[in-house]
Amino acid sequence: MDIDPDTDFTVGFHSAEPLDSAAVRKLTEICDRVEDAGTGDVLLVRLHGGPPADGVRSGPRVPDVHLVNKWERAVRRMERLPVATVALATGECAGLAAEVLLATDHRVAGPDLVLRLPTSDGVTWPGMALFRLAHQVGVHRARAAALFGAPTTAAKALALGLVDEVADDPDQALAAAVKAFQGARAADVAVRRRLLMDAATTSFEDALGSHLAACDRALRPAGQG
């Protein structure tokens, strides 16, 4: 079933796409649109593998470190957007697609998902995907994928918490997820996400002020935040 979720913001990455200026521009432009709109809509991220679709650039991944820096900053910007980000990952999700997946809020996977970290010359790429993977599943669970490029099936990704659901009809599951996350106050999504990210590296005493400020905001009537 091919269901088109009702959202104004959609971006897609194919596993065959190289890291180049076009990829950075695509992610930057969707971030611009979301931030300029200032609404509580959802950013839909479609990630897939298999043979490259028409119009998908494919080629060797040979970036310079300045381009890598721009890409990492673009992914981080997406990770901090004031809206929920919902991803659909199907097929072999590798390369840029895998990097973007690890930076989204809610992840729907097809049963055919095989998640692979980005590689360069057959070796796992030492980018920030390694950082996110270790933070999300722990160093010992990330070791096989991070050091040796071991693939992660849909079932294993679900068990590790790398995806939130595996659906036989992923398009329908995606549409339901998008609908569920629409309507929340945009800033609240960003605040809660930041509190979660900071929790692992912030002491209780240092975190208390930020959490109290978020609680104060949540207690205000809608429209007064």
Side-chain angles (χ1 to χ4, degrees):
M1 183 182 300
D2 187 11
I3 298 177
D4 184 22
D6 183 17
T7 177
D8 291 334
F9 309 119
T10 302
V11 68
F13 285 93
H14 192 282
S15 294
E17 288 186 58
L19 174 49
D20 57 16
S21 58
V24 174
R25 184 167 57 253
K26 177 166 62 172
L27 192 53
T28 299
E29 287 177 352
I30 192 64
C31 289
D32 287 341
R33 286 186 55 209
V34 171
E35 291 172 348
D36 290 345
T39 70
D41 208 344
V42 171
L43 172 59
L44 170 60
V45 184
R46 290 186 176 272
L47 309 165
H48 51 100
D54 291 342
V56 170
R57 308 170 317 283
S58 63
R61 179 179 185 178
V62 199
D64 60 52
V65 72
H66 300 293
L67 182 60
V68 173
N69 183 38
K70 290 179 180 179
W71 168 254
E72 295 289 9
R73 290 181 182 278
V75 176
R76 184 60 165 169
R77 184 180 173 193
M78 187 203 75
E79 195 173 31
R80 291 177 165 179
L81 285 175
V83 299
T85 52
V86 178
L88 171 61
T90 57
E92 183 163 329
C93 185
L96 302 188
E99 294 193 46
V100 172
L101 177 68
L102 293 176
T104 56
D105 296 321
H106 184 82
R107 305 159 190 175
V108 178
D112 62 341
L113 173 69
V114 178
L115 178 61
R116 297 180 186 272
L117 288 180
T119 60
S120 177
D121 295 328
V123 179
T124 304
W125 179 250
M128 292 303 289
L130 295 184
F131 176 89
R132 291 186 175 89
L133 183 66
H135 271 257
Q136 292 174 26
V137 305
V139 172
H140 66 292
R141 291 190 178 94
R143 188 177 297 115
L147 299 183
F148 309 113
T152 303
T153 63
K156 185 175 181 180
L158 181 63
L160 290 173
L162 289 174
V163 298
D164 296 286
E165 55 181 313
V166 177
D168 291 329
D169 190 337
D171 281 306
Q172 188 172 44
L174 181 69
V178 168
K179 183 177 181 180
F181 294 123
Q182 285 174 324
R185 289 189 298 185
D188 288 349
V189 174
V191 167
R192 285 162 172 75
R193 186 193 297 122
R194 189 184 71 246
L195 293 174
L196 286 174
M197 289 179 175
D198 291 348
T201 57
T202 307
S203 69
F204 177 90
E205 289 74 16
D206 289 339
L208 180 59
S210 297
H211 282 264
L212 288 176
C215 290
D216 180 64
R217 177 186 175 83
L219 290 170
R220 300 175 194 170
Q224 296 185 14

